[in-house]
Amino acid sequence: MRGKGIHYDTGTFPNGDSSRPSFEPRVVEQEIRAIARDLHCTAIRITGGDLDRIDLAARHAAAAGLEVWYSPFPCEMTDDEMLPHLVDAAGRAERLRRDGADVRFVTGCELSVFARGYLPGDTLADRIPVLGGPGREAALDGMPDKVNAFLREAVAAVRPVFGGPLTYASNPLDGVDWTPFDIVGLDAFRSLRNAAAYRDELREGLAHGKPVAILETGCCTYRGAGDHGGAGWFLAMEPDGVTLKPDLVRDEDEQVRHLDDLMTVFEEEGIDSVFWFSFAGYAHPHRRDGGPDLDLASYAIVKVFADDQDVPDRLRAYPDMPWEPKKAFHALADRYKAVEQRESGGGGRNGRAREALSAGGPFRRAPGRAPPAPGS
């Protein structure tokens, strides 16, 4: 496994609502330090709908020695709206690359579900029920043709702007033709529905003869969530999409078991890079008491505390952060550290990056490598 990564959300806008209402540069910098130093990551997929936010996070990540997968996530846009957005993002990614960062560009994410004009419905909340209703087959008819027509146009527009490798974050509904891309990008959630065929699905991606990146995978934080994979968040909520179901049982070990199972599969199948989904879920705060624990419906490996939760510093590993690690944080860190030690004997690029981070102070630029962090 070459790229040991994490998915990092700067704020996406499904249904028009931000998944990260508050975005503090100080917090972002410290989170990325933790990702490079404590999670033993070598790569980070930075997603979001606000390109200025992606830029800020990407420059901190590059300065920390991480490989940056620059991933605009244009939710609720039409094709005509997405194309100039992606070209703008590609230009920003190219500037970062020319400054010395190691950058890949992700040309959108799961168009069939998150973009407008593919499934019936103006918002994600309108479209998701279509996939479970009687009109599913009719709605999916011709989907790969529609998705690939736009992706060909997008790649043709992005290639002259961005000089690094290109990929796309696909789901099985997209039916992507990988010919125009350099990397096969899979949002590869495993559930009971596809568990028996999961390795075969990965091998289909590998059969293209290109590196395969798992751009999203994981499960929520309640007992049995691993059986639901990418649908876990939806099945955790009442039909109103807002209220948490009352019978869910918090189980951080569920995430650990799921992680251990899948990381073994990815290593055995020769996956190039993995981005565990996700670092933090700011739209799903954790409450120990006094209200719904929305973190149960979160895929994150840290639990973000609700504003009304006062946790004493003596009980905190990261007292300056609005979150604390879940068990999956430590499991992922141990896994990546073990992979790194096997591959490099305990040294290597990421080990040196963590040594620099541990020394404190502003990020320093290695010759010909990462650009300085914003404001440093």
Side-chain angles (χ1 to χ4, degrees):
M1 187 186 300
R2 187 192 59 80
K4 297 172 281 293
I6 190 75
H7 174 284
Y8 186 83
D9 178 33
T10 63
T12 54
F13 301 91
N15 306 312
D17 302 317
S18 176
S19 60
R20 188 165 182 171
S22 176
F23 187 79
E24 299 180 30
R26 177 193 66 84
V27 171
V28 173
E29 179 180 8
Q30 293 302 314
E31 288 178 338
I32 289 174
R33 283 180 178 270
I35 286 167
R37 179 189 59 214
D38 301 338
L39 269 183
H40 299 268
C41 285
T42 61
I44 182 170
R45 179 188 172 201
I46 302 175
T47 72
D50 184 326
L51 299 184
D52 289 338
R53 288 186 175 191
I54 297 179
D55 266 353
L56 184 142
R59 291 192 173 272
H60 280 308
L66 296 171
E67 182 179 280
V68 176
W69 292 55
Y70 201 105
S71 305
F73 197 159
C75 292
E76 316 297 12
M77 290 188 185
T78 64
D79 288 357
D80 288 343
E81 293 167 331
M82 280 191 292
L83 192 60
H85 183 82
L86 292 173
V87 172
D88 184 3
R92 293 166 183 250
E94 176 63 11
R95 287 193 290 274
L96 183 66
R97 194 181 73 89
R98 288 179 179 271
D99 283 341
D102 194 354
V103 187
R104 279 88 173 127
F105 187 75
V106 184
T107 316
C109 178
E110 300 190 30
L111 296 179
S112 57
V113 175
F114 288 101
R116 294 175 64 184
Y118 292 85
L119 287 173
D122 288 337
T123 68
L124 180 66
D126 297 329
R127 295 188 291 271
I128 289 294
V130 174
L131 296 176
R136 175 188 171 93
E137 294 305 317
L140 293 177
D141 185 45
M143 184 64 71
D145 292 338
K146 289 187 283 188
V147 169
N148 286 307
F150 177 77
L151 289 179
R152 285 192 295 270
E153 185 179 6
V155 170
V158 164
R159 281 280 186 205
V161 178
F162 180 73
L166 296 182
T167 188
Y168 166 76
S170 68
N171 67 34
L173 303 179
D174 290 335
V176 175
D177 173 9
W178 293 105
T179 303
F181 295 98
D182 306 298
I183 302 165
V184 175
L186 307 177
D187 287 356
F189 291 93
R190 190 188 69 179
S191 66
L192 287 179
R193 179 191 58 79
N194 69 338
Y198 191 73
R199 284 182 184 263
D200 290 336
E201 292 172 358
L202 297 180
R203 290 168 186 169
E204 288 179 10
L206 291 161
H208 294 281
K210 300 179 179 184
V212 173
I214 305 301
L215 294 177
E216 291 182 19
T217 192
C219 75
C220 294
T221 320
Y222 60 88
R223 190 168 299 162
D227 292 342
H228 306 311
W233 66 274
F234 181 74
L235 296 173
M237 310 303 288
E238 296 286 11
D240 63 8
V242 177
T243 306
L244 199 67
K245 289 181 178 177
D247 57 345
L248 300 180
V249 177
R250 185 174 186 85
D251 188 357
E252 293 190 12
D253 289 319
E254 180 83 8
Q255 287 186 308
V256 174
R257 291 188 293 269
H258 198 71
L259 186 153
D260 285 340
D261 284 350
L262 291 191
M263 293 299 284
T264 298
V265 171
F266 299 147
E267 290 186 58
E268 290 176 351
E269 294 298 331
I271 298 301
D272 177 79
S273 300
V274 174
F275 297 86
W276 201 260
F277 183 78
S278 177
F279 183 74
Y282 279 89
H284 295 85
H286 170 59
R287 285 187 171 86
R288 296 187 300 171
D289 49 49
D293 182 9
L294 293 178
D295 181 64
L296 272 67
S298 171
Y299 292 77
I301 61 170
V302 303
K303 49 195 171 193
V304 177
F305 293 113
D307 292 339
D308 60 358
Q309 300 292 291
D310 185 15
V311 182
D313 285 355
R314 60 184 173 80
L315 301 178
R316 304 279 303 277
Y318 292 84
D320 294 333
M321 293 290 98
W323 47 260
E324 279 290 293
K326 300 181 192 177
K327 292 180 180 180
F329 180 103
H330 302 294
L332 186 62
D334 289 345
R335 194 85 189 205
Y336 282 165
K337 183 177 182 179
V339 172
E340 179 185 342
Q341 289 175 339
R342 287 199 303 272
E343 293 177 348
S344 65
R349 175 175 66 85
N350 201 46
R352 293 192 296 272
R354 283 197 305 279
E355 289 172 8
L357 289 170
S358 297
F363 291 123
R364 291 174 294 174
R365 182 176 184 176
R369 188 69 181 96
S376 65

